[in-house]
Amino acid sequence: MASGSDRNPIIIGGLPSQVPDFDPEETQEWLDSLDAAVDQRGRERARYLMLRLIERAREKRVAVPEMRSTDYVNTIATRDEPFFPGDEEIERKVLNATRWNAAVMVSRAQRPGIGVGGHIATFASSASLYDVGFNHFFRGKDGGDGGDQVFFQGHASPGIYARAFLLDRLSEEHLDAFRQEKSKAPHGLSSYPHPRMMPDFWEFPTVSMGLGPISAIFQARMNRYMHARGIADTSRSHVWAFLGDGEMDEPESLGQLSLAAREGLDNLTFVVNCNLQRLDGPVRGNGKVIQELESVFRGAGWNVIKLVWDRSWDPLLAQDRDGVLVNKLNTTPDGQFQTYATETGAYIREHFFGGDQRLRAMVADMSDDQILHLGRGGHDHRKIYAAYKAALEHTGQPTVILAQTIKGWTLGPNFEGRNATHQMKKLTVEDLKGFRDRLHLPIPDSELESGLPPYYHPGKDSPEIQYMHDQRRGLGGYVPRRVVRAKPLTLPDDRAYAAVRKGSGTQQVATTMAFVRLLKDLMRDKEIGKRFVPIAPDEYRTFGMDSLFPSAKIYNPLGQTYESVDRELLLSYKESPTGQMLHDGITEAGCTASLIAAGSAYATHGEPLIPVYVFYSMFGFQRTGDQFWQMGDQLARGFVLGATAGRTTLTGEGTQHADGHSQLLASTNPACVAYDPAYGYEIAHIVRDGLRRMYGEDSEDVFYYLTVYNEPIQQPAEPENLDVEGLLKGLYRLSQGEAGSVPAQILASGVAVPWALQAQRMLAEEWDVRADVWSATSWNELRREAVSVEEHNLLHPEEEQRVPYVTRALEGVEGPVLAVSDWMRSVPDQIARWVPARYQSLGGDGFGFADTRGAARRFFHIDAPSIVLGVLTELAKDGRIDRSVLKQALDRYQLLDVAAADPGPAGGDA
């Protein structure tokens, strides 16, 4: 591997500016030599000499400006291509069978009565790219380690299934159950790579475009992190990401390229399938996407390998002494190349080669058919092998391979290169016959003309199938394959939670700080402490996690090569190659990708990690919600902390920092167990139960979302006889009303619980109302359990009907129920239908704004006086008090005047 300084240069390139010329005569001699080369040999020769000089300068470690874009030809010269170790004829037969079965599987999925869709054109273009990887590069898991991690392009999944069928990993019954996961269970195949749906097959969900690239980068980084910390030997693991050129328009695709280069992730290779088409049109019709991507990746510090043309172009390029062919390749836009993919050899001869005498002469001895079959590099096994081998051997940088292909390749003239190819799912009889002939498969016309087209398998004992098995055995087993080898962790005992459960005494502590205190204690545990992976988007100090800097340190593969400006402070910034904390910068997308990679390490590498991702709650589910779905699909585990939560706790920051809805967004994710705790002892029990569920015996594929607040309060000690079961289910009675004659119930969560307790006192002392206060630690879990109960009752009418927990908990309570939180009312309203009493809620509906906490809570009618009015209003509806009382309360507390509210403790910053 390259040294740290080589992998992370401070100055990448540049031209001399203030540097004086110490030898003008020598400079002039060099300039004169260049002038002579141009005058005597021409610009093309001079250009070639300059490029060779730049190449030699780099070999001599002389810093020169980077070339952002090179000619539209292959990066690897023909003379530099390595020996191809495979049997190309057998591999061609294998690939032809795979191509056929992939297309037939999707076509059969359109049979009458099914019609579930599917895509065949993407795999048709990228089939050779995958086949070379399967036969020669992708490492399996049979060696006991994690093997390679391969992120398959989502729309190419039919081809991966088709190959698994040839290897007897899947049956015809499986292929005919494509996209019928429930109706054809247990044989149903998911539409795309979905580990949750096929947990023994797929490892990484990738079809939400843009998430594959960023996930691959952070997977490669996580591999290095785990190796550096001695958790797993990942030195042989390589990450491959197969992507589309249209997919690179997604901001997540390119947004973290610099991290991969900065950390020298030479264990990472992007393979961009440049078939020049998006889903229904050209990627860059008037431009050249390969050239554009080359510039982007080079500029970000990646090693770029262009794989543009197949071997049939080699003789033509060898003749191109004056560069006219290269110039034509450079100046022809992608849209025109797509047209060439659909036209005849005669058309190409006239329109590509016909405009220049020298070009016409190059192909004068070629037939139109030979011109037609001048191919793209992404379909040539030898060229692909050379590119992959070069990528693996390159050190110090991640590599991107830009491989040009044709979308719908081999599927016939109705599919190849057409703008509508992505949406075409069914082959006609004539399409099938032409496809079969092109693939040289022994399938008679009679099998294509009646009924569904057949699958093709050359036989378990055929040379092709034996070759496939031999290649995979030599590479350590089958891919893709997800294996869970991790053992349950030995979890901490009561001592790790004791400090938080005893409260804060007279000190005021926010729940964010209470969680950080608990995390520190857990990270000291001898059994699991090293497995925690704190993650934050540049906000460790904001969340009070700088206290971890001295002991845990921040992971940086280069260490800390500078004197920290705060080195004299006790909590100074500390970076280390073996650091435990991931500081990913101001990127929630990058942090969530780290979270997913760490949270699935138990399966990827057989070593559980416990990620703890802390962020501004507004910028979690709202900004990276798609990745949280990806996390659930990848069966990742861990803790997600929405800090500075609530609509009114961070009011100084204004609208964009006022989160009143992330709990509602979290409720839509079936893998997310969400809590809104009020106190440190609640957090302790929730975290303990989360560790048990995710990392103990009979572990579950869930992750935990806790919303914690930045408002300092006096943290009470854990009550005696605490209803822990109710706390974990989502609701327990915190304080029973003792004074007052008119009963009522107040349900509150998170930061609203202290307001509810204040309202309880006011109701008793001023309005003769005896209110019980309940801590609703999880509105979401209450609803989830109730829905589950209803489903059971629906399907088991003959059995005794179950009762939801929230109904049982509130059964028999006296008075109406008022729910309040710092969330929009939709959050507590989730449980309304199961509450066996009059139910009403208060909440922070609408936009947040900048003001004091007190003013914001008065505006949203959720402060303690507003809760009092809410309870009185519901009692008046029941006829328990006179309605005239409501106007009295409104006037007494000045509830119509926002400025009259006690501003409360400062809430401007995190």
Side-chain angles (χ1 to χ4, degrees):
M1 285 196 39
S3 67
S5 60
D6 292 336
R7 290 194 284 112
N8 195 30
I10 295 174
I11 299 174
I12 296 175
L15 294 171
S17 51
Q18 290 182 289
V19 179
D21 187 347
F22 293 107
D23 194 340
E25 291 182 6
E26 182 184 29
T27 303
Q28 191 60 48
E29 289 177 7
W30 281 87
L31 295 175
D32 290 343
S33 296
L34 176 61
D35 291 342
V38 174
D39 295 341
Q40 297 171 21
R41 303 294 300 277
R43 290 188 177 89
E44 285 300 320
R45 177 61 181 169
R47 179 176 181 273
Y48 177 79
L49 292 173
M50 290 296 296
L51 292 175
R52 287 302 306 274
L53 281 172
I54 291 173
E55 184 178 53
R56 180 54 58 86
R58 289 183 183 144
E59 291 173 0
K60 297 291 186 181
R61 303 177 66 79
V62 177
V64 291
E66 290 283 330
M67 291 293 295
R68 296 298 186 231
S69 181
T70 59
D71 287 325
Y72 202 59
V73 295
N74 294 343
T75 300
I76 300 173
T78 305
R79 66 178 182 275
D80 296 329
E81 291 175 9
F83 169 75
F84 181 71
D87 186 323
E88 196 166 6
E89 177 62 20
I90 283 185
E91 291 190 15
R92 182 186 63 80
K93 291 180 178 180
V94 166
L95 185 55
N96 287 349
T98 305
R99 286 181 180 278
W100 175 266
N101 291 327
V104 166
M105 180 181 71
V106 173
S107 189
R108 287 167 69 110
Q110 307 314 306
R111 61 193 181 273
I114 302 297
V116 291
H119 302 283
I120 53 180
T122 292
F123 176 72
S125 66
S126 57
S128 295
L129 298 173
Y130 288 116
D131 210 49
V132 173
F134 279 123
N135 287 330
H136 302 285
F137 292 96
F138 303 157
R139 292 179 57 251
K141 298 175 179 289
D142 287 355
D145 63 4
D148 284 355
Q149 288 79 57
V150 185
F151 290 74
F152 294 94
Q153 194 176 359
H155 290 108
S157 60
I160 312 306
Y161 292 140
R163 196 175 205 278
F165 165 69
L166 293 177
L167 288 166
D168 298 316
R169 300 183 64 203
L170 298 175
S171 66
E172 284 195 22
E173 194 171 5
H174 284 104
L175 298 193
D176 273 347
F178 177 57
R179 292 191 167 196
Q180 299 153 75
E181 296 174 86
K182 301 300 183 184
S183 62
K184 294 295 178 64
H187 298 96
L189 298 183
S190 62
S191 51
Y192 303 119
H194 288 308
R196 183 166 288 276
M197 300 304 179
M198 297 179 65
D200 299 324
F201 193 86
W202 296 113
E203 277 199 286
F204 307 107
T206 53
V207 80
S208 189
M209 291 191 186
L211 299 192
I214 193 171
S215 297
I217 289 172
F218 282 86
Q219 182 62 58
R221 197 275 203 97
M222 185 57 59
N223 290 358
R224 287 282 170 82
Y225 170 89
M226 294 181 72
H227 190 79
R229 295 195 52 226
I231 292 175
D233 182 0
T234 63
S235 58
R236 299 181 64 206
S237 291
H238 197 84
V239 177
W240 301 84
F242 287 82
L243 317 165
D245 48 355
E247 182 178 9
M248 305 314 288
D249 287 344
E250 290 283 6
E252 294 89 352
S253 295
L254 301 177
Q256 291 294 314
L257 297 185
S258 59
L259 177 138
R262 187 168 64 246
E263 298 199 4
L265 298 181
D266 49 18
N267 60 338
L268 170 66
T269 297
F270 276 15
V271 181
V272 183
N273 174 26
C274 297
N275 58 32
L276 312 186
Q277 284 188 220
R278 292 197 185 97
L279 301 185
D280 59 4
V283 177
R284 298 289 185 272
N286 294 318
K288 300 178 81 66
V289 71
I290 289 179
Q291 302 298 84
E292 178 184 320
L293 291 175
E294 178 186 26
S295 179
V296 170
F297 278 92
R298 284 189 187 277
W302 284 53
N303 174 46
V304 179
I305 298 175
K306 285 158 68 173
L307 176 57
V308 189
W309 308 113
D310 75 5
R311 71 191 76 173
S312 64
W313 286 88
D314 291 347
L316 296 180
L317 289 165
Q319 301 175 46
D320 191 30
R321 297 183 62 82
D322 53 7
V324 63
L325 177 57
V326 170
N327 182 64
K328 184 66 174 176
L329 296 173
N330 285 342
T331 56
T332 302
D334 284 353
Q336 191 62 45
F337 277 123
Q338 287 300 87
T339 298
Y340 293 143
T342 66
E343 288 291 347
T344 64
Y347 179 95
I348 298 170
R349 184 190 300 274
E350 177 184 351
H351 290 84
F352 184 82
F353 294 101
D356 189 290
Q357 167 194 325
R358 293 164 293 180
L359 291 175
R360 291 196 299 271
M362 284 184 184
V363 295
D365 296 331
M366 295 178 65
S367 67
D368 287 348
D369 188 64
Q370 287 175 315
I371 291 176
L372 179 64
H373 288 93
L374 288 170
R376 314 292 168 95
H379 302 310
D380 187 325
H381 278 213
R382 291 179 181 270
K383 300 285 187 183
I384 296 168
Y385 180 87
Y388 287 4
K389 189 170 188 292
L392 283 182
E393 292 175 351
H394 186 81
T395 59
Q397 294 173 290
T399 293
V400 60
I401 298 169
L402 304 173
Q404 185 174 200
T405 65
I406 294 175
K407 196 161 187 177
W409 179 242
T410 73
L411 291 175
N414 293 328
F415 283 78
E416 289 181 353
R418 305 290 178 180
N419 282 339
T421 292
H422 187 76
Q423 305 302 333
M424 297 169 70
K425 310 174 188 307
K426 191 169 183 178
L427 293 91
T428 66
V429 171
E430 292 307 311
D431 289 332
L432 287 165
K433 289 180 178 179
F435 188 32
R436 172 206 59 192
D437 293 343
R438 189 162 182 179
L439 300 179
H440 307 287
L441 297 178
I443 302 173
D445 286 352
S446 59
E447 293 193 37
L448 303 179
E449 293 171 345
S450 61
L452 297 174
Y455 297 113
Y456 174 72
H457 197 296
K460 294 183 179 181
D461 297 326
S462 66
E464 299 96 311
I465 301 305
Q466 291 306 309
Y467 180 87
M468 294 174 74
H469 284 296
D470 289 344
Q471 295 301 105
R472 290 315 312 161
R473 278 192 289 267
L475 288 166
Y478 301 106
V479 175
R481 179 170 166 245
R482 183 176 179 272
V483 179
V484 179
R485 296 192 178 102
K487 299 294 190 295
L489 298 179
T490 302
L491 301 178
D493 58 22
D494 286 346
R495 288 171 294 183
Y497 305 94
V500 175
R501 291 170 64 183
K502 72 180 182 182
S504 62
T506 58
Q507 184 181 7
Q508 291 197 325
V509 175
T511 50
T512 299
M513 298 300 103
F515 176 83
V516 172
R517 171 61 193 272
L518 174 61
L519 178 62
K520 286 180 65 176
D521 290 342
L522 290 171
M523 288 175 66
R524 294 191 185 104
D525 184 82
K526 292 181 180 180
E527 295 291 337
I528 70 167
K530 69 176 183 178
R531 297 185 181 274
F532 282 93
V533 184
I535 305 166
D538 198 39
E539 293 288 354
Y540 276 127
R541 292 191 190 277
T542 298
F543 304 135
M545 298 178 73
D546 48 349
S547 59
L548 301 175
F549 288 169
S551 55
K553 300 184 177 61
I554 295 163
Y555 170 73
N556 188 321
L558 304 177
Q560 188 161 318
T561 60
Y562 61 92
E563 278 193 322
S564 175
V565 67
D566 61 359
R567 61 190 179 279
E568 302 299 330
L569 298 179
L570 179 63
L571 304 180
S572 64
Y573 199 84
K574 300 279 189 182
E575 296 182 83
S576 167
T578 58
Q580 191 167 357
M581 306 169 75
L582 292 180
H583 196 300
D584 288 338
I586 306 175
T587 166
E588 282 82 5
C591 290
T592 311
S594 284
L595 164 72
I596 296 169
S600 53
Y602 74 94
T604 309
H605 294 294
E607 291 288 349
L609 294 177
I610 309 172
V612 179
Y613 172 31
V614 190
F615 53 81
Y616 273 83
S617 64
M618 185 70 165
F619 306 133
F621 276 89
Q622 174 170 302
R623 180 167 290 184
T624 58
D626 196 10
Q627 286 178 284
F628 284 115
W629 276 96
Q630 180 191 21
M631 182 176 185
D633 198 359
Q634 196 164 316
L635 312 180
R637 305 164 184 172
F639 291 97
V640 177
L641 274 294
T644 61
R647 188 72 87 198
T648 67
T649 64
L650 196 60
T651 51
E653 297 281 359
T655 301
Q656 293 185 7
H657 286 68
D659 172 25
H661 54 275
S662 72
Q663 280 283 345
L664 195 63
L665 296 175
S667 73
T668 67
N669 191 315
C672 178
V673 180
Y675 284 92
D676 185 34
Y679 297 126
Y681 69 81
E682 293 181 349
I683 292 173
H685 284 286
I686 293 166
V687 169
R688 184 173 189 171
D689 194 56
L691 288 172
R692 176 191 64 80
R693 289 182 63 182
M694 294 186 288
Y695 299 97
E697 298 287 346
D698 302 318
S699 56
E700 302 174 49
D701 297 318
V702 296
F703 66 93
Y704 271 56
Y705 178 53
L706 279 67
T707 43
V708 290
Y709 298 84
N710 66 314
E711 183 170 355
I713 61 172
Q714 189 171 329
Q715 295 287 335
E718 180 179 313
E720 292 185 15
N721 303 316
L722 173 67
D723 180 6
V724 176
E725 180 185 6
L727 186 160
L728 296 176
K729 285 182 176 293
L731 182 69
Y732 71 97
R733 182 156 23 203
L734 174 65
S735 174
Q736 190 164 357
E738 296 180 353
S741 60
V742 183
Q745 309 296 321
I746 304 173
L747 276 56
S749 72
V751 76
V753 169
W755 319 336
L757 292 171
Q758 183 183 350
Q760 180 189 48
R761 292 191 293 271
M762 295 168 67
L763 284 164
E765 295 170 4
E766 302 172 25
W767 305 101
D768 191 33
V769 173
R770 185 182 73 255
D772 294 348
V773 173
W774 300 69
S775 178
T777 51
S778 180
W779 310 101
N780 295 2
E781 287 300 291
L782 290 173
R783 179 187 183 278
R784 182 171 290 170
E785 189 267 352
V787 168
S788 176
V789 166
E790 284 196 343
E791 180 184 31
H792 178 273
N793 292 342
L794 176 70
L795 300 177
H796 301 84
E798 75 288 356
E799 297 182 7
E800 181 180 353
Q801 297 293 277
R802 298 176 181 177
V803 179
Y805 169 77
V806 64
T807 305
R808 288 187 280 114
L810 296 174
E811 195 75 57
V813 299
E814 296 182 274
V817 176
L818 181 77
V820 61
S821 73
D822 208 15
W823 306 99
M824 58 193 303
R825 292 171 64 179
S826 299
V827 175
D829 283 353
Q830 292 180 92
I831 68 168
R833 59 182 290 187
W834 296 287
V835 173
R838 177 187 292 280
Y839 185 83
Q840 187 56 274
S841 64
L842 303 176
D845 286 78
F847 287 104
F849 52 85
D851 212 310
T852 64
R853 286 176 176 144
R857 288 161 187 169
R858 178 62 52 87
F859 175 84
F860 286 117
H861 316 303
I862 54 177
D863 59 357
S866 298
I867 295 172
V868 169
L869 178 62
V871 170
L872 296 176
T873 299
E874 297 310 305
L875 288 170
K877 290 178 183 177
D878 284 343
R880 301 298 301 270
I881 63 172
D882 191 272
R883 287 193 61 82
S884 62
V885 170
L886 306 183
K887 183 66 166 61
Q888 296 174 32
L890 194 71
D891 293 340
R892 177 184 297 188
Y893 303 130
Q894 298 177 272
L895 292 178
L896 298 179
D897 184 2
V898 171
D902 181 352
D909 298 318

